């Protein structure tokens, strides 16, 4: 699902690193790929291990948006990394 109104929201295909102490006990240095994002207000993000990682085929986890430390999006224009804003509506 693409949310053009909020370009800093996670999108499928973005890469994510989680905060320490996250709900899936993942190491903060591990990079995940987002396989399913959420509608604004539904804050669960589904992660998978990047292709080529062991267990890639049979592993997925859902986390809350506030557990994500950083996102990286690769596009034809280049790569961009940022810290997501869990509630962009709060700034409007």
């Amino acid at each position: 699902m693409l949310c053009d109104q909020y370009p800093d929201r996670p999108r499928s295909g973005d890469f994510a690193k989680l905060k320490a102490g996250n709900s899936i006990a993942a190491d903060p240095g591990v990079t995940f790929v987002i396989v399913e994002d959420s509608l604004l207000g539904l804050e669960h993000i589904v992660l998978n291990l990047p292709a080529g990682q062991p267990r890639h085929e049979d592993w997925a986890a859902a986390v809350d948006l506030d557990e994500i430390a950083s996102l990286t999006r690769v596009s034809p224009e280049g790569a961009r990394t940022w810290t997501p804003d869990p509630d962009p509506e709060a700034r409007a």
Side-chain angles (χ1 to χ4, degrees):
M1 169 172 313
L2 208 54
C3 185
D4 289 331
Q5 183 178 1
Y6 302 106
D8 289 342
R9 302 267 313 160
R11 295 183 184 172
S12 295
D14 287 350
F15 295 97
K17 289 193 181 247
L18 301 179
K19 296 176 182 175
N22 58 74
S23 63
I24 62 171
D27 183 308
V30 174
T31 300
F32 298 92
V33 64
I34 296 174
V35 293
E36 186 178 314
D37 51 2
S38 64
L39 294 170
L40 191 60
L42 302 175
E43 303 303 330
H44 272 74
I45 307 297
V46 179
L47 306 173
N48 199 337
L49 296 168
Q53 292 287 324
R55 301 183 346 193
H56 164 75
E57 297 295 324
D58 63 353
W59 188 94
V63 297
D64 291 331
L65 180 59
D66 62 0
E67 294 183 79
I68 297 177
S70 68
L71 293 166
T72 299
R73 182 170 299 149
V74 179
S75 69
E77 293 81 32
R80 177 172 83 92
T81 299
W82 72 99
T83 301
D85 182 359
D87 189 7
E89 288 286 317
R91 295 181 306 183

